Amino acid sequence: MRKVLILALALIMLLGMTSTAFAFDPVPKDQLKVGVIYIGDVIDLGYTYAHHQGTLAMQQALGLSDDQILIQKNIAEDSSFETAARELIDQGCQVIFGTSFGFMDYMEELAEEYPNVIFSHCSGYKSNDTNFNNYFGRIWEARYLSGIAAGLKAKETGNNHLGYVAAFTTIPEVVYSLDAYFLGARSVNPDVTMTVKETGSWYDPTKERQAADALIAAGCGILSQHCDTTGPVVAAEEKGLFAVGYNADVSDVAPKAYLTAPVWHWGVYLTDAVQKVIDGTWTPENSLMGLSEGVCDLAPLTANCAEGTAEAIEAARAKILDGSLNVFAGPIKDNTGAEKVAEGQALANGDILGITWFVEGITVG
């Protein structure tokens, strides 16, 4: 799996950690080789697709040739990663990006074995003070905005029952993402409720479609997802319902159902990181970027959205950007009725990254 349960305290410490203890020599741009290791296929229209679009954006921005970008795809979170990474090292890569959580421990070990190679890991929490860092994004900001689109559409249709297909319901990244989406929906429609179905896999077209169908059978009128196929969006299209996607704009896949999607622009981070490798200024600084940096955003709204959606989203976006809106500001109760965030309080980034509870109004099962 890409994510596992994480210790919030460790994340708070690690996300703020920077180091200049080790300096790499500049790499002439024409001699640079960048390795990227993906868990999935670049055509999945999901997580790997989004990351690959970022790789391509970085390549174009820096003027690198195709033979300078070395890709390993469909690599499992086991010793297959080590094999793939060693191949990239043998081919002369000075920097390697690993894009899945389960790659983390292998990258940590390889970073120690190869101190002259830079290892940059997406979504983890480990790093060192020489050649190994991690990066991710405040995706909960874009999730909240997408929830506004769902909440307003639910109000327009008169069906306030949202459905959510989740890869895992014990993993903080999934939990805080669906919580943020639901909080966004409730900010404009306090009557919404949400049922979550778990697939137990990041990428399983059959299970994702089955979960979507079960949510539709339960009366959900708008679907959303934290999984890597377009199954839930397509299911909504076929039943005359609506959907919020994830990772990519798939309006062409379900033109009558699709509203919008939280999306990643990984090229923002990748371009900066690789430029620093070229300049000899790269340090093992951990990164958590969001709307303000352009790493996370919302795909363009479609005409399927309810009237007033664009204005409501832009108002919320402006408040997130100026700091007056924290997605996880209290009062917030979980779905057992326990207070998780008191009125007047708000969760810091490190606390958000460790969320394992569900907001009141969400049913999992």
Side-chain angles (χ1 to χ4, degrees):
M1 65 184 70
R2 283 205 301 267
K3 309 290 182 292
V4 296
L5 290 175
I6 51 180
L7 295 174
L9 178 59
L11 280 161
I12 293 169
M13 295 172 61
L14 289 164
L15 287 169
M17 185 169 65
T18 61
S19 173
T20 56
F22 188 90
F24 288 88
D25 292 333
V27 178
K29 188 166 76 170
D30 61 352
Q31 298 178 26
L32 178 70
K33 288 189 176 181
V34 179
V36 187
I37 302 178
Y38 297 132
I39 191 173
D41 199 302
V42 299
I43 60 171
D44 69 0
L45 288 180
Y47 180 81
T48 297
Y49 170 84
H51 225 114
H52 187 58
Q53 294 305 300
T55 300
L56 295 177
M58 174 271 293
Q59 178 185 356
Q60 182 177 20
L62 299 181
L64 303 179
S65 61
D66 289 345
D67 61 3
Q68 291 180 273
I69 307 295
L70 285 69
I71 303 293
Q72 294 272 3
K73 61 183 181 180
N74 293 316
I75 303 301
E77 294 173 313
D78 54 26
S79 59
S80 302
F81 174 85
E82 184 178 352
T83 300
R86 290 186 187 279
E87 289 179 5
L88 294 176
I89 293 168
D90 290 342
Q91 291 173 290
C93 291
Q94 296 96 342
V95 55
I96 295 174
F97 294 94
T99 66
S100 192
F101 183 91
F103 298 162
M104 180 174 65
D105 291 342
Y106 297 100
M107 295 189 81
E108 181 183 36
E109 294 173 3
L110 288 166
E112 184 174 353
E113 183 177 350
Y114 295 96
N116 294 318
V117 177
I118 292 169
F119 294 86
S120 193
H121 179 231
C122 180
S123 75
Y125 58 88
K126 290 186 177 182
S127 61
N128 64 24
D129 62 357
T130 54
N131 65 329
F132 177 37
N133 80 319
N134 65 75
Y135 64 98
F136 202 55
R138 301 187 304 275
I139 191 63
W140 57 84
E141 297 172 344
R143 287 282 192 185
Y144 182 91
L145 297 181
S146 71
I148 292 174
L152 289 174
K153 190 64 179 181
K155 183 182 293 187
E156 180 185 75
T157 64
N159 183 344
N160 290 315
H161 191 184
L162 308 180
Y164 199 101
V165 179
F168 301 96
T169 57
T170 57
I171 294 175
E173 184 207 342
V174 179
V175 179
Y176 66 64
S177 291
L178 66 88
D179 279 347
Y181 170 77
F182 186 66
L183 288 169
R186 276 220 160 161
S187 73
V188 293
N189 183 353
D191 295 327
V192 292
T193 59
M194 187 164 79
T195 298
V196 178
K197 293 289 184 183
E198 180 179 19
T199 66
S201 173
W202 293 111
Y203 182 88
D204 190 317
T206 299
K207 289 183 178 179
E208 290 171 33
R209 179 55 193 260
Q210 289 173 343
D213 288 340
L215 291 167
I216 292 169
C220 297
I222 300 174
L223 302 185
S224 191
Q225 66 185 79
H226 195 133
C227 53
D228 289 352
T229 81
T230 59
V233 178
V234 171
E237 175 91 356
E238 292 177 1
K239 297 297 185 179
L241 303 174
F242 299 96
V244 171
Y246 182 42
N247 286 306
D249 182 342
V250 293
S251 52
D252 57 335
V253 174
K256 295 180 181 179
Y258 172 82
L259 302 177
T260 185
V263 294
W264 294 97
H265 297 304
W266 292 114
V268 174
Y269 174 77
L270 296 176
T271 300
D272 179 68
V274 175
Q275 183 65 61
K276 288 176 178 176
V277 175
I278 295 170
D279 296 339
T281 59
W282 188 92
T283 60
E285 179 179 1
N286 299 322
S287 176
L288 187 68
M289 298 180 176
L291 287 178
S292 60
E293 297 88 356
V295 166
C296 306
D297 208 339
L298 197 64
L301 303 179
T302 69
N304 299 323
C305 290
E307 184 177 352
T309 299
E311 293 81 1
I313 287 175
E314 288 311 306
R317 178 196 296 273
K319 291 180 179 179
I320 290 173
L321 292 175
D322 70 18
S324 61
L325 171 59
N326 181 312
V327 170
F328 288 94
I332 301 175
K333 293 182 179 180
D334 69 13
N335 61 359
T336 71
E339 183 178 75
K340 305 304 290 187
V341 187
E343 186 170 2
Q345 301 297 311
L347 297 185
N349 289 342
D351 297 319
I352 295 170
L353 289 165
I355 288 176
T356 57
W357 45 267
F358 303 95
V359 171
E360 185 176 42
I362 296 175
T363 300
V364 180

